[in-house]
Amino acid sequence: METFLIRALQLILSLSLLVIVHEGGHFFFARLFKIRVEKFYIFFDPWFSLFKFKPKNSDTEYGIGWLPLGGYCKISGMIDESMDTEQMKKPAQPWEFRSKPAWQRLLVMIGGVMMNFILALIIYSMILFTWGDQYIALKDMTHGMKFNETAQNIGFRDGDILKSADGKELERFDMDMVRSIVEAREVTVLREGEEKKILMPELSLLDVAKEDPMFVDVFYPNVVDSVIAGGGFAKAGIQSGDSLLAVNETSIHSWNEFQDEMGKLQTQAELEKKETASFSLVYSRNGMRDTVEVQTNKQFKVEATGGLLDYKPTVLSYGFFESFPAGITLGVNTLNGYVSDMKYVFTKEGAKSVGGFGTIGSIFPKVWDWERFWSMTAFLSIILAFMNILPIPALDGGHVLFLLYEIIARRKPSDKFLEYAQMVGMFLLFGLLIWANFNDVLRFLF
């Protein structure tokens, strides 16, 4: 319950900030061009609001709604989610949105997206300024990587050190690295001191991301690092420094493979409704082999650690002004990666993977971590900016599309057309919202 509350609080805080900034972008340009803003709300307020106030001599009512699906900035003389068609039947007033030049209306509509993207760049910059950046470079991972069966069939081998994809250097182990490998035509690795070229077939990042074991992982040597007193390994006589060679007569060559075998044991024990599992373990100590029987605990752990690496991390620190170009680069790369992955949403498997608030909330850490919180908020801000600029009616991008048409054709779409477009767009968005959260429910139940 505590984990749920921590994640829920982070999600609400993050979304509130993003909504304020997004709607604040619309508000800023509207007021800049002397357009009247009737309402500025965090979250939606059908039937009633949690809080509202209207400053003296102000045209704007500020408030907090009860439905946390976003927020809105009701601008006079504009067909938006409020669907205030009665106002549109009256003669246009000079303070209304529809009375302003097309270029001003265009800036009002893209203001939210601009502010979200700028916010993400600022957050990324301040993350780098405050915490810096630390990672282990792939070239320094001297034990190389661990590859699953799919990758090995392509030509990768355990222990390969990843160097480049289509000539672009691979720097660190993250999702961008996996994306670069999957989308490459040729990957270069260092194998036993020699460079090898691996020709890549056509792969789907979505399929690769779902594979278990992972397509590529850090290679952890099959050496025990420490043993917890009273645990399965300790009772069996296993010591720090022992090399693991086989589990139930299945040879293993890395700690990764040992964990895979533990996963299989757990699955089998759960099918047989057993609380623990036992297995025979072949190990080597000072060149001498021996076999012992090991018992797991109720969490199917042997209470030991292994495969720890002494790689030297690359540590980067940034001064205040240095952090901004680095933050901009990080933000742009994040946007590029997200845009690149969007093509998978329109596949059958991609549609199943779409998630709602449960999925979004799960990306936040189980314990409060400010660095992680700000990183996730920046990422969500980029997603919000990109999704809103899509040319879908009811989104900012739909309004931008119609404004561009007006600028090029030199005539406005009719109010009736805009009303129907807004209704269709809202229907599509609510349908997507229902589908995404329905997927969350299915994941929770099954």
Side-chain angles (χ1 to χ4, degrees):
M1 185 63 179
E2 183 181 356
T3 296
F4 171 79
L5 291 176
I6 290 174
R7 280 179 163 168
L9 181 59
Q10 291 180 89
L11 175 62
I12 293 171
L13 180 59
S14 179
L15 290 181
S16 298
L17 174 63
L18 297 182
V19 170
I20 290 172
V21 169
H22 182 88
E23 301 304 331
H26 296 309
F27 183 90
F28 171 78
F29 282 103
R31 300 306 297 134
L32 180 66
F33 300 129
K34 295 181 172 52
I35 301 172
R36 184 173 294 176
V37 179
E38 299 175 15
K39 284 187 174 184
F40 185 96
Y41 265 69
I42 303 172
F43 306 147
F44 293 113
D45 61 329
W47 303 297
F48 69 94
S49 60
L50 299 178
F51 169 79
K52 63 181 178 180
F53 78 100
K54 189 173 184 179
K56 188 177 180 180
N57 300 323
S58 173
D59 298 315
T60 307
E61 176 183 292
Y62 301 88
I64 300 176
W66 61 271
L67 189 60
L69 301 181
Y72 69 98
C73 184
K74 188 177 185 308
I75 298 173
S76 294
M78 175 183 169
I79 297 174
D80 57 13
E81 57 269 15
S82 68
M83 295 304 293
D84 188 358
T85 56
E86 292 302 315
Q87 185 184 67
M88 303 302 292
K89 295 176 182 178
K90 300 176 182 178
Q93 301 298 320
W95 62 78
E96 289 187 334
F97 178 82
R98 54 180 166 166
S99 300
K100 301 299 179 178
W103 68 270
Q104 291 185 5
R105 284 181 279 134
L106 182 62
L107 286 175
V108 171
M109 293 318 307
I110 65 174
V113 169
M114 287 173 56
M115 292 303 292
N116 275 131
F117 190 60
I118 291 172
L119 173 66
L121 299 183
I122 292 174
I123 292 176
Y124 279 133
S125 299
M126 291 301 96
I127 288 174
L128 294 175
F129 171 65
T130 305
W131 290 284
D133 190 13
Q134 180 172 315
Y135 64 96
I136 298 174
L138 290 173
K139 61 182 178 61
D140 294 331
M141 292 184 177
T142 52
H143 288 287
M145 310 302 287
K146 174 69 180 174
F147 299 91
N148 68 5
E149 185 177 356
T150 301
Q152 296 213 22
N153 288 337
I154 293 172
F156 293 99
R157 296 291 177 266
D158 289 346
D160 285 352
I161 299 174
L162 295 167
K163 289 184 65 66
S164 64
D166 286 343
K168 182 182 178 181
E169 181 183 1
L170 298 172
E171 295 183 355
R172 64 176 78 187
F173 179 70
D174 57 12
M175 199 60 200
D176 287 338
M177 180 209 73
V178 177
R179 184 185 297 108
S180 296
I181 291 173
V182 169
E183 295 179 351
R185 294 186 177 182
E186 182 181 84
V187 175
T188 303
V189 301
L190 190 65
R191 182 181 300 164
E192 297 178 351
E194 295 184 10
E195 285 193 358
K196 301 289 184 181
K197 306 288 186 182
I198 299 174
L199 299 179
M200 297 295 296
E202 187 172 336
L203 296 172
S204 165
L205 181 62
L206 195 63
D207 292 336
V208 167
K210 292 190 302 182
E211 291 188 349
D212 186 21
M214 295 169 59
F215 183 86
V216 56
D217 197 359
V218 178
F219 184 95
Y220 293 99
N222 55 335
V223 178
V224 178
D225 181 76
S226 63
V227 177
I228 299 174
F233 263 27
K235 291 177 180 178
I238 302 299
Q239 300 176 9
S240 175
D242 290 349
S243 297
L244 309 186
L245 304 178
V247 173
N248 288 342
E249 300 182 354
T250 300
S251 296
I252 57 175
H253 305 90
S254 66
W255 191 262
N256 311 65
E257 293 178 0
F258 172 71
Q259 290 179 314
D260 292 341
E261 292 303 315
M262 291 300 98
K264 294 176 184 177
L265 281 175
Q266 179 178 357
T267 301
Q268 183 63 34
E270 289 175 346
L271 288 173
E272 297 174 358
K273 298 183 179 180
K274 294 181 179 179
E275 291 190 352
T276 61
S278 61
F279 59 94
S280 65
L281 176 70
V282 180
Y283 71 97
S284 172
R285 181 185 301 160
N286 299 323
M288 301 293 292
R289 294 166 60 101
D290 197 3
T291 302
V292 293
E293 193 76 10
V294 181
Q295 183 82 21
T296 67
N297 62 20
K298 290 185 177 182
Q299 286 75 43
F300 299 94
K301 305 294 182 184
V302 294
E303 296 170 314
T305 60
L308 296 185
L309 305 168
D310 57 354
Y311 296 148
K312 182 180 179 180
T314 297
V315 180
L316 302 175
S317 58
Y318 298 88
F320 182 76
F321 294 106
E322 292 176 317
S323 67
F324 287 98
I328 291 172
T329 299
L330 178 56
V332 171
N333 289 342
T334 302
L335 175 62
N336 288 338
Y338 183 75
V339 173
S340 175
D341 294 344
M342 275 298 293
K343 59 179 175 287
Y344 297 109
V345 174
F346 302 101
T347 65
K348 182 179 179 180
E349 289 300 316
K352 292 180 181 178
S353 69
V354 172
F357 291 107
T359 298
I360 297 172
S362 68
I363 71 176
F364 288 96
K366 297 179 181 179
V367 296
W368 198 281
D369 181 333
W370 280 111
E371 182 180 2
R372 181 71 174 167
F373 168 79
W374 287 116
S375 179
M376 290 299 97
T377 299
F379 179 60
L380 290 177
S381 193
I382 283 180
I383 293 177
L384 182 61
F386 176 74
M387 295 300 293
N388 262 283
I389 204 61
L390 292 176
I392 299 174
L395 291 179
D396 295 344
H399 292 286
V400 169
L401 179 66
F402 298 140
L403 280 168
L404 291 176
Y405 166 81
E406 178 184 338
I407 292 172
I408 295 171
R410 298 185 181 278
R411 62 188 181 93
K412 294 182 181 181
S414 69
D415 287 345
K416 186 60 65 175
F417 171 82
L418 294 177
E419 287 176 22
Y420 287 139
Q422 184 75 18
M423 292 171 62
V424 169
M426 291 177 67
F427 175 80
L428 292 174
L429 292 178
F430 278 114
L432 178 61
L433 186 65
I434 293 170
W435 173 253
N437 285 283
F438 176 69
N439 281 343
D440 283 350
V441 173
L442 290 181
R443 293 188 192 101
F444 177 77
L445 294 176
F446 303 103

